[in-house]
Amino acid sequence: MTTRWKEEKAQSPQTLKSNAFSFQSRKQSKMSPLPVPEDIALQIASFLQVPDLCSLASCSRLWRELCGSDCIWESLVRDRWPSLELSDGSSSSSAIKKPMSMGWRCFYMELHNEKAARATSVVQFVETCSSSVSLEVGEYQKAMQDLHALQFGYQDVQMFLFKPELTVLVNLLGLHYCMNWLRVPANCVLKALESRKISERQVCVKWWKLGRWSHGFRMRDELLSRRFTLIDVGLAKQEEVLAVLHRGAIHEVLRVQICVADPSSPSWSCQSADRRV
């Protein structure tokens, strides 16, 4: 899991000290003492990502209990899913309610497993629709809306959609979602693409525009194409393409198709077929 792209917000010393005292009161006498004071240990653990936190928890029973503290996992839940509406009993009916008997660590794992299952359904939808190596823009937009409805966070996209073994169309979907819906900073997106080794994967987008009128004659419909890499999108070099994908087939645009680029074909950026009928 990559580092959090939003600025870290450390918990207040009073909150950490209170949790440390609560933790210390539960400590069993036969356990070995921590190498640092409990409040400092809790502060250290609060800055770790989930894999590192789990590794630290495996060091001893005392570390395991500390790393399972609700204050740490509640912060991880809210950091990973900042747009998630959590119910406190008085929130709207659409809010997600954490069972009172469930700790924040278990709640985090439950949400993670739920997002993983739903990500699989989105991936399967895209792969089924693009079985002929192309995807229509309506299907692409539906998958994008599904991600938004499922309240996917940036870390969800990195874990479930930025996989090199998936089709590049899924990678593009996750990238576009991060940029348009989540507003993830470009430097964080580029770093994620590089770390996942998908930055140089290529996509081709084609769209057909209604033929223009000239001297009383309507020209043939125009075919425009763009072939680009995912890193080009991250560097904002393909804003026109993203705008076309966002609008879809409306007004003068008759059809939009997203394809897996053939690396063996020569590079090209635009084709037009203007001819008189």
Side-chain angles (χ1 to χ4, degrees):
M1 187 181 300
T2 60
T3 55
R4 304 172 192 174
W5 63 272
K6 289 191 174 182
E7 182 180 357
E8 297 286 358
K9 294 183 179 179
Q11 302 180 57
S12 66
Q14 292 83 1
T15 302
L16 289 169
K17 189 172 182 179
S18 174
N19 282 288
F21 286 151
S22 175
F23 165 73
Q24 188 176 22
S25 66
R26 300 193 307 269
K27 186 172 62 175
Q28 299 179 18
S29 59
K30 64 181 179 179
M31 292 181 179
S32 302
L34 292 170
V36 293
E38 284 81 3
D39 56 338
I40 301 300
L42 197 62
Q43 179 80 48
I44 293 171
S46 68
F47 281 106
L48 298 178
Q49 293 296 305
V50 173
D52 298 325
L53 189 65
C54 293
S55 297
L56 182 61
S58 66
C59 293
S60 69
R61 294 175 60 188
L62 199 57
W63 276 114
R64 182 166 62 251
E65 185 176 350
L66 183 140
C67 292
S69 299
D70 273 354
C71 62
I72 294 177
W73 287 94
E74 180 181 1
S75 176
L76 288 170
V77 168
R78 297 186 184 279
D79 179 77
R80 179 169 169 180
W81 298 288
S83 62
L84 194 65
E85 185 181 1
L86 298 175
S87 173
D88 57 0
S90 59
S91 303
S92 64
S93 57
S94 61
I96 297 177
K97 185 175 182 180
K98 182 182 80 68
M100 294 294 294
S101 59
M102 180 183 292
W104 280 96
R105 180 181 180 277
C106 293
F107 186 56
Y108 179 98
M109 296 305 300
E110 183 178 88
L111 287 176
H112 171 84
N113 293 334
E114 178 186 343
K115 299 297 182 183
R118 294 186 175 183
T120 299
S121 66
V122 172
V123 170
Q124 290 175 344
F125 171 76
V126 172
E127 290 180 339
T128 300
C129 293
S130 62
S131 56
S132 59
V133 201
S134 66
L135 189 67
E136 295 297 323
V137 72
E139 299 162 341
Y140 179 88
Q141 291 177 331
K142 179 186 182 305
M144 183 76 69
Q145 291 166 0
D146 287 345
L147 293 179
H148 179 62
L150 296 172
Q151 296 182 304
F152 263 46
Y154 178 48
Q155 294 181 28
D156 296 320
V157 174
Q158 292 182 82
M159 285 189 285
F160 305 132
L161 304 183
F162 280 0
K163 294 181 178 180
E165 62 268 24
L166 297 176
T167 172
V168 66
L169 303 182
V170 172
N171 300 156
L172 175 66
L173 178 70
L175 175 58
H176 194 180
Y177 175 75
C178 286
M179 298 178 66
N180 275 39
W181 289 95
L182 301 181
R183 304 295 181 183
V184 180
N187 62 319
C188 295
V189 171
L190 295 175
K191 184 177 179 180
L193 294 177
E194 292 287 352
S195 65
R196 298 290 177 169
K197 303 186 185 304
I198 60 173
S199 60
E200 297 301 327
R201 302 192 76 183
Q202 297 184 355
V203 185
C204 174
V205 175
K206 304 176 183 179
W207 63 100
W208 287 259
K209 297 178 66 175
L210 190 65
R212 296 169 293 179
W213 285 90
S214 176
H215 304 290
F217 294 92
R218 190 174 75 84
M219 311 295 284
R220 282 190 177 181
D221 296 337
E222 186 179 10
L223 167 62
L224 299 174
S225 304
R226 297 290 186 275
R227 174 176 166 178
F228 52 89
T229 63
L230 295 180
I231 199 170
D232 290 335
V233 178
L235 291 171
K237 294 182 178 180
Q238 297 297 329
E239 293 184 355
E240 180 187 14
V241 173
L242 293 184
V244 169
L245 294 177
H246 180 71
R247 291 195 305 268
I250 60 172
H251 304 310
E252 78 282 0
V253 178
L254 302 176
R255 181 186 181 189
V256 183
Q257 190 178 59
I258 308 100
C259 315
V260 178
D262 182 2
S264 63
S265 64
S267 298
W268 41 264
S269 61
C270 178
Q271 290 181 348
S272 68
D274 274 354
R275 296 182 184 175
R276 292 189 180 182
V277 294

